Amino acid sequence: MNADQKIRQSTSASAYGARAGAGAGSGAGDGDPPGRVRRFWSERRVPAGIAALVIAAVSGLLLYDVAAVRSGRRALRWRDWLADELASRPLDDAWVMGGAALLAALGVGMVILAMAPGLRGLLPMRAPEPEPEPGPEPESGAGAVVRAGIDRTSAGLVLRDRAMEVPGVRSARVDVGRRRIRARALAHFRDLDEVRADLDAALHEGIRQLGLARPPALSVHVRRSAKSKG
């Protein structure tokens, strides 16, 4: 086997677009605009609870110190030191500007985290179009839309099983991201271009059957296994 055959490999990077809606029963036409289904939003109970506890502790400490000063006692040392530092340092001091920049960055980061949906590991699925049924009007809440999603790890396992069904594939690994699906496979017989074409078609069909609201782009990489080279 010559050097060209040893390093021969096949790569394809094809975006999931018109091909995904070509099959029957896809639930969406080729011209339907993507992004109608919004991502799932995290409830963030733990971060909200931690932030509430920190704010409550700091507020309680300040309230206790103010009440102690009002009752004739001396203020806490850290508050005296902070008041003296703020009163003596100019506004263009490096520590003052650094602290202000740190607090501003912390505030901007908290705002961004609050506005971000979260749950990056959950991919929203396409909602089926409701079919009107003859008869009396449904009760309140009966026609509520049910949202569905699939975990990226689970989607990767499903697509990996589809890849292993392709003749010539010895092993496969599928990494599902929010915007791209990367598939890597080892082939131990058949021509690499044929294996890649069949694998590409099988994965596109698998992605279509997942019914994702925003199907990611697909990147397929096929190479010869070491045992087959030898």
Side-chain angles (χ1 to χ4, degrees):
M1 182 177 292
N2 55 34
D4 293 337
Q5 292 176 340
K6 289 183 179 180
I7 63 174
R8 186 182 178 191
Q9 60 186 12
S10 174
T11 307
S12 86
S14 54
Y16 178 79
R19 291 185 56 182
S26 60
D30 295 345
D32 290 345
R36 289 185 177 180
V37 180
R38 300 183 61 182
R39 287 177 54 188
F40 291 90
W41 281 73
S42 174
E43 296 182 355
R44 297 184 175 91
R45 291 191 179 96
V46 175
I50 294 176
L53 289 177
V54 171
I55 293 175
V58 174
S59 301
L61 184 60
L62 289 175
L63 181 61
Y64 168 80
D65 189 53
V66 170
V69 172
R70 291 292 184 180
S71 62
R73 297 183 181 181
R74 187 173 181 179
L76 297 177
R77 293 183 179 180
W78 66 269
R79 200 160 73 92
D80 287 339
W81 173 83
L82 182 60
D84 293 339
E85 290 293 329
L86 293 177
S88 60
R89 291 181 180 272
L91 294 179
D92 57 351
D93 185 77
W95 287 100
V96 175
M97 297 181 65
L102 179 61
L103 292 177
L106 181 62
V108 172
M110 294 181 65
V111 171
I112 294 176
L113 291 177
M115 296 179 62
L119 296 179
R120 298 176 61 88
L122 191 62
L123 299 176
M125 301 175 67
R126 185 172 55 247
E129 296 182 359
E131 298 181 359
E133 297 182 358
E137 296 182 357
E139 298 180 358
S140 177
V145 178
V146 178
R147 299 186 62 193
I150 183 171
D151 185 72
R152 292 194 304 182
T153 303
S154 302
L157 294 176
V158 172
L159 295 177
R160 187 197 63 181
D161 293 341
R162 295 295 299 265
M164 293 300 297
E165 297 176 357
V166 176
V169 175
R170 182 183 183 90
S171 62
R173 177 180 176 180
V174 180
D175 297 323
V176 179
R178 291 182 53 241
R179 294 183 175 86
R180 181 172 295 275
I181 298 176
R182 293 177 174 86
R184 301 175 180 86
L186 294 178
H188 59 107
F189 70 91
R190 296 181 68 198
D191 184 76
L192 288 180
D193 290 334
E194 295 179 359
V195 175
R196 185 212 51 84
D198 292 346
L199 182 60
D200 190 80
L203 291 179
H204 271 99
E205 179 63 18
I207 295 173
R208 185 191 67 81
Q209 293 181 356
L210 288 178
L212 299 178
R214 302 172 186 175
L218 176 63
S219 174
V220 178
H221 182 81
V222 181
R223 63 185 179 90
R224 189 73 67 188
S225 63
K227 295 182 178 180
S228 299
K229 292 179 181 180

